[in-house]
Amino acid sequence: MDFVQYKCPCCGAPLEFSPKTQKLSCNSCGNQYDLETMEGYEQEEKSPGEQDLHWEYQKAEQGAKRTEDGLYICPSCGAKVEADENTVSTVCPYCDNVVVIHGTSSGESEPDVMIPFQIKGDEARQKLHNFCKGKRLLPKNFRDRSYLKNLRGCYVPYWLFDCKASADMSFNATRIRAWSDSEYDYTETSYYLVTRAGTMEFVHVPVDGSVEMDDDTTEPIEPFDYSGLTDFRSAYLAGYETDKYDVDAKAAEGRAKERLYNTAEHVLRRTVQGYQSVTVRRRHLASQNGKVLYALLPVWLFETVYRGKKYQFAINGQTGKMVGELPVDQGAFWRYLGGFTAIGTVVCSILGILLFGGV
């Protein structure tokens, strides 16, 4: 027979069975526990933790073939246009017309669905201009509209993860009671194992499939309205840049799982109330009917490099939601700081004269 040793959930010391109380007692902190309670904790220790979630891929991953010299002919002006293996559409540098790379937008690498642009270029430029307006610490070239030429409309590759999931999570919780008498102050801490379970359906959990796009940029411009999803049509690409994914669905699974677990934990955690502290002990998700879609979603992008640092600004091309970081002119910052310091010195001097009189 295996030897079983229970440890106190409060202090971690070994527990002993007390014939007098018929409970497990801790000689270190004095707490006592029912057998059923500790058996529940033991079962929790043996329960599986986070599990792999599984999805069925709608299309196999297969790159499209390119021409031998790697160049494409612009159908408008006939110029040769360079494009790498991930390019779906680009803008001709000679005539500014869109060039759709049919080789990479057909076959098994073709997106399943997409959302066409709803925000026009002029609207996006005005949003960015309004955002920058009045920000005196921006570099000098941001103080007119010349920087807006760097704003470009892009269809960003995304993976959309769908699944039904059974969530089963447990939490360590405490309740604290304090009281006093004429001699002492007392504090009683009670420890609880709280379990929650439920079923959830996740629809179109997005993970961007581009190395260049930071999650800190793409995720804050969510959500997209997926009622606007439509079948992929190359005509929607006209006038916009489009890249094929360079983060495949398998590589994107990690971020999708993280988002699913965090969402399930948030939902179940909200039902654990009436405790002073709550921490996650175990979380488990089992998925069913998992599917992945390859999608193109519209984003207006503004990118610039200032003093060796890359800055990225994004506007949701469907809803207009904006996010991003803009550079700060350090020279202007110190000039303004110096100005405020000088003003503060003058004000303090005047107050000193008024309060204490001149010398």
Side-chain angles (χ1 to χ4, degrees):
M1 180 180 295
D2 294 336
F3 176 75
V4 178
Q5 183 184 61
Y6 294 101
K7 292 186 177 181
C8 176
C10 178
C11 67
L15 298 177
E16 296 180 0
F17 178 73
S18 171
K20 181 179 180 180
T21 62
Q22 294 293 297
K23 294 183 178 182
L24 291 168
S25 300
C26 178
N27 293 327
S28 178
C29 65
N31 283 311
Q32 294 186 339
Y33 305 93
D34 295 329
L35 295 180
E36 293 79 7
T37 299
M38 292 310 304
E39 286 174 353
Y41 269 87
E42 179 68 14
Q43 186 62 36
E44 282 289 312
E45 293 290 345
K46 296 178 180 179
S47 299
E50 295 189 8
Q51 298 295 303
D52 285 338
L53 301 174
H54 301 284
W55 289 278
E56 172 188 343
Y57 296 99
Q58 297 299 89
K59 294 182 179 180
E61 299 173 20
Q62 177 179 332
K65 302 294 184 181
R66 303 182 66 209
T67 59
E68 292 183 1
D69 58 2
L71 299 177
Y72 298 89
I73 303 299
C74 174
S76 177
C77 68
K80 290 186 176 181
V81 180
E82 293 185 2
D84 61 29
E85 65 275 9
N86 292 326
T87 301
V88 176
S89 70
T90 187
V91 176
C92 176
Y94 301 97
C95 67
D96 290 331
N97 283 311
V98 68
V99 179
V100 177
I101 310 301
H102 294 285
T104 58
S105 60
S106 61
E108 291 187 333
S109 63
E110 179 180 293
D112 300 294
V113 290
M114 66 185 300
I115 294 178
F117 271 88
Q118 301 296 318
I119 302 296
K120 297 180 180 179
D122 291 342
E123 295 177 70
R125 290 183 182 89
Q126 189 61 48
K127 284 179 177 290
L128 181 57
H129 177 70
N130 292 341
F131 182 82
C132 296
K133 192 175 181 180
K135 293 180 171 59
R136 297 179 179 274
L137 298 183
L138 285 174
K140 184 177 180 180
N141 62 320
F142 280 79
R143 297 175 191 174
D144 55 39
R145 290 179 175 265
S146 61
Y147 65 89
L148 294 176
K149 65 183 180 182
N150 294 326
L151 185 69
R152 54 195 177 92
C154 302
Y155 280 106
V156 176
Y158 274 82
W159 299 104
L160 304 181
F161 292 83
D162 299 349
C163 73
K164 293 182 178 180
S166 298
D168 179 13
M169 299 188 179
S170 61
F171 305 86
N172 289 329
T174 62
R175 285 185 181 142
I176 300 174
R177 185 170 70 96
W179 71 97
S180 303
D181 58 22
S182 59
E183 296 184 11
Y184 300 102
D185 294 328
Y186 302 91
T187 301
E188 178 187 76
T189 303
S190 301
Y191 295 84
Y192 299 88
L193 172 64
V194 184
T195 59
R196 293 290 187 268
T199 57
M200 304 178 185
E201 184 171 1
F202 296 92
V203 179
H204 300 342
V205 177
V207 178
D208 78 77
S210 172
V211 172
E212 293 186 4
M213 295 296 296
D214 297 328
D215 290 343
D216 292 339
T217 299
T218 56
E219 293 181 5
I221 64 171
E222 297 173 11
F224 287 88
D225 180 4
Y226 294 117
S227 65
L229 280 174
T230 184
D231 291 338
F232 172 78
R233 295 177 63 182
S234 60
Y236 287 128
L237 306 181
Y240 303 98
E241 298 180 18
T242 312
D243 283 345
K244 176 181 173 291
Y245 63 86
D246 48 15
V247 176
D248 61 28
K250 283 291 185 181
E253 275 189 16
R255 181 57 185 155
K257 292 175 184 177
E258 183 180 357
R259 301 194 77 177
L260 264 62
Y261 268 102
N262 290 343
T263 300
E265 178 184 322
H266 176 72
V267 171
L268 296 182
R269 170 65 179 81
R270 287 186 301 176
T271 68
V272 183
Q273 301 179 358
Y275 300 94
Q276 272 70 39
S277 68
V278 178
T279 57
V280 177
R281 178 183 178 87
R282 181 183 62 87
R283 55 185 202 170
H284 170 250
L285 279 181
S287 64
Q288 302 165 349
N289 302 323
K291 293 183 180 179
V292 181
L293 294 173
Y294 173 27
L296 295 179
L297 303 184
V299 179
W300 286 100
L301 282 176
F302 172 78
E303 295 178 328
T304 187
V305 177
Y306 181 70
R307 297 194 174 215
K309 180 180 178 181
K310 178 182 176 181
Y311 294 86
Q312 193 173 70
F313 192 92
I315 302 174
N316 187 313
Q318 181 194 37
T319 67
K321 187 176 180 180
M322 299 185 296
V323 68
E325 180 185 8
L326 293 173
V328 173
D329 186 336
Q330 295 297 323
F333 171 79
W334 289 112
R335 287 194 297 272
Y336 275 100
L337 182 61
F340 283 120
T341 302
I343 294 172
T345 301
V346 172
V347 171
C348 290
S349 299
I350 294 172
L351 288 176
I353 294 171
L354 293 176
L355 292 174
F356 304 105
V359 177

